[in-house]
């Protein structure tokens, strides 16, 4: 209906509408005013999610009386599910609800989950009684208590996944990429987006963790609930100013149609001349042409080309028996990205240790600065601080140096940035293993091996290097991945590509859970690596294992990165001019 309304040249946008379905006015919709409200809800989401996750291990062990391994797995499964549900949220946004409604609905779901979590910390019957003395006097949480806890956590995860899948895309919708001024503003939006994610994280690991440890969980989680509710109010208050885009349909449908078409035509021979293929030039619908960027026929994965063959024996043409060659090539682009996708998962397995076993290490060490005691989970402030410091150092120091010395005006390529991040993760696990050996030796020398509650006379600042290294690694890996997946994906698949990128975080957390479970079973109770009493375990061996796996993964990533050819180079080789992408090149 909105498409048929008259438009005023220069004053309205041809592909965006306001909340009433009218062509969006350039001066009264979009821009920084609406983008700021979207950034606000994302900052509140990050504050809420990390405010729960970063101190969840200590809550599971100290309050719910679960083992270290179970607590670590609960945390990583919670975070993994949050990011995996981004794919579901992206599908819902692209196919049914649109980005605005998806954010509003799933933010409300997240608020419900956090509210239930807060209530569970207030009502005594929803958590086990305090320990009366010694491990044997600690009663683990009952099935009902854990059910309420898991309901709260996974409602929060569902809300996080749906919200996070659409926030960056809806924010970019507020800028017109055909206008030079607004396109530059879009570039700044993505930098502020990453910055505010980490500002929210900084608030979580300082203010919220301090409240949880000193005032009580009900106050910490209650503030989380208030934060996400505030974010929802801010987001909804911008409704009149937002620019809305029409639903584009899920890219998963396109991938499915290409695969089905190719399978149905598997008996056909792939022709050598392009005229035998169906392409966007054969479609009379002008809107379809403008939404697609013609891609050259490539030799890789040629079996998929059969999906676009014009078969004269086909009586009734549908999308399930004939697709365009450009659709086929877009699916090939996604397939080419998968090796890079797979080799970045292990980094987030290393990242997961910063909110699980590294926090457990900190709880046993001397956390005092004078008379002030630092909450163990607040040590992750060094992790977040490392991210916030690394980004400007790279932007202001490394990029000019690379431009001057190596003729690289935009600094490292996305894959090179990911490679640097993976290298940091290897060094971080070596540092973590050495720190754990130092901690255990100190415990043994002071006769504290058999006392799980003893404070080891070793300053907690020994674990700072592993936080700093993983934080610097994330600054390179996260932005490198985001840049790679947004630049290299087809024009109409950016929401799915963002979900694909975020799924690497999810799978990294799930892989951490799998490794913990396997290691816990293999090492048993006689010589456990991951003991409930860390002073009797061999956590350093788990860190060495992650260092070795990360090193092997880096070798695989390096091979995949050398094999990969960037999309703009493929188009240039075919004589096709690269269209401007919606998202900026991160420096």
């Amino acid at each position: 209906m909105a498409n048929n309304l008259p438009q005023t040249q220069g004053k309205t946008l041809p592909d965006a509408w306001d909340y009433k379905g009218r062509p969006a006015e350039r001066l009264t919709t979009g821009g920084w005013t609406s983008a700021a409200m979207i950034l606000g809800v994302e900052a509140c989401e990050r504050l809420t999610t990390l405010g729960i996750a970063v101190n969840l291990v200590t809550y599971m062990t100290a309050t719910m009386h679960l083992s270290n391994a179970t607590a670590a797995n609960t945390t990583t499964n919670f975070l993994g599910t949050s990011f995996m549900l981004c794919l579901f949220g992206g599908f819902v946004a692209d196919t049914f609800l649109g980005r605005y409604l998806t954010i509003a609905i799933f933010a409300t779901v997240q608020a419900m989950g956090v509210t239930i979590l807060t209530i569970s910390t207030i009502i005594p019957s929803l958590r086990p009684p305090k320990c009366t003395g010694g491990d044997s006097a600690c009663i683990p949480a009952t099935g009902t208590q854990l059910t309420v806890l898991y309901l709260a956590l996974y409602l929060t995860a569902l809300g996080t996944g749906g919200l996070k899948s659409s926030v960056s895309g809806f924010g970019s919708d507020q800028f017109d990429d055909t206008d030079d001024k607004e396109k530059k503003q879009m570039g700044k939006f993505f930098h502020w987006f990453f910055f505010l994610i980490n500002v929210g994280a900084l608030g979580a690991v300082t203010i919220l963790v301090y409240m949880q440890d000193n005032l009580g969980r009900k106050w910490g989680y209650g503030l989380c609930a208030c934060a996400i509710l505030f974010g929802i109010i801010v987001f909804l208050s911008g409704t009149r100013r937002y620019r809305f885009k029409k639903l584009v349909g899920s890219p998963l449908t396109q991938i499915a149609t290409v695969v089905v078409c190719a399978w149905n035509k598997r008996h056909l021979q792939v022709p050598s001349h392009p005229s035998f293929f169906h392409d966007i030039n054969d479609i009379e619908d002008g809107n379809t042409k403008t939404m697609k960027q013609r891609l050259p026929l490539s030799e890789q994965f040629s079996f998929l080309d059969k999906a676009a063959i014009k078969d004269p024996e086909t009586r009734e043409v549908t999308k399930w028996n004939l697709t365009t060659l450009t659709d086929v090539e877009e699916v090939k682009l996604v397939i080419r990205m998968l090796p890079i996708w797979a080799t970045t998962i292990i980094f987030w397995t290393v990242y997961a240790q910063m909110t699980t076993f590294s926090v457990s290490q900190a709880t046993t060490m001397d956390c005092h600065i004078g008379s002030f005691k630092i909450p163990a989970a607040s040590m992750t402030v060094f992790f977040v601080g490392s991210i916030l410091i690394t980004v400007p150092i790279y932007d202001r120091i490394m990029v000019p140096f690379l431009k001057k010395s190596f003729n690289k005006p935009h600094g490292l390529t996305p894959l090179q940035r990911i490679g640097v991040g993976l290298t940091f993760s290897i060094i971080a696990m070596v540092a973590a293993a050495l720190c754990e050996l130092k901690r255990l030796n100190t415990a043994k020398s002071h006769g504290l091996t058999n006392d799980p509650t003893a404070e080891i006379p070793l300053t907690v600042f020994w674990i700072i290097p592993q936080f700093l290294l993983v934080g610097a690694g994330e600054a390179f890996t996260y932005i490198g991945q985001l840049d790679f997946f947004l630049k290299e994906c087809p024009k109409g698949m950016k929401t799915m590509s963002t979900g694909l990128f975020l799924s690497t975080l999810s799978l990294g957390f799930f892989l951490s859970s799998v490794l913990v479970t396997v290691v816990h079973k293999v090492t048993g109770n006689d010589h456990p690596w991951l003991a409930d009493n860390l002073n009797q375990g061999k956590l350093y061996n788990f860190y060495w294992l992650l260092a070795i796996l990360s090193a092997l993964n880096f070798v695989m990533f390096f091979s995949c990165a050398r094999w990969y050819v960037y999309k703009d180079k493929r188009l240039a080789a075919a004589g096709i001019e690269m269209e401007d992408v919606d998202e900026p090149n991160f420096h």
Side-chain angles (χ1 to χ4, degrees), residues 43-44 46-48 50-51 195-205 208:
C44 291
R46 186 65 169 178
L47 176 74
T48 300
L50 202 58
F195 177 78
L196 283 177
I197 283 177
N198 289 288
V199 168
L202 189 62
V205 302
L208 289 181

Side-chain angles (χ1 to χ4, degrees), residues 487-533:
K487 285 177 60 179
E488 295 302 300
C489 74
K491 187 175 181 181
M493 294 188 178
K494 296 195 181 297
T495 300
M496 188 202 73
S497 187
T498 302
L500 196 64
F501 150 56
L502 292 174
S503 71
T504 63
L505 281 72
S506 171
L507 292 174
F509 292 128
F510 286 139
L511 178 58
S512 176
S513 296
V514 171
L515 285 175
V516 168
T517 301
V518 171
V519 166
H520 197 56
K521 288 185 176 181
V522 170
T523 59
N525 296 320
D526 295 333
H527 304 285
W529 288 8
L530 309 174
D532 291 339
N533 178 0

Side-chain angles (χ1 to χ4, degrees), residues 422-436:
L422 296 181
T423 302
F424 272 118
S425 70
I426 299 171
I427 302 172
M429 288 298 94
V430 173
L434 295 176
C435 173
E436 178 61 7

Side-chain angles (χ1 to χ4, degrees), residues 434-447 456:
L434 295 176
C435 173
E436 178 61 7
L437 285 169
K438 173 73 174 178
R439 193 191 67 82
L440 284 179
N441 288 334
T442 304
K444 290 176 182 178
S445 64
H446 288 80
I456 297 173

Side-chain angles (χ1 to χ4, degrees), residues 398-413:
M398 289 187 63
V399 170
F401 172 76
L402 292 168
K403 180 179 180 180
K404 182 178 180 180
S405 302
F406 298 95
N407 194 27
K408 296 175 72 69
H410 299 301
L412 301 176
T413 65

Side-chain angles (χ1 to χ4, degrees), residues 18-35:
D18 65 13
Y19 73 107
K20 289 186 175 180
R22 302 169 301 193
E25 295 279 347
R26 289 183 182 274
L27 296 179
T28 59
T29 64
W32 272 113
T33 302
S34 55

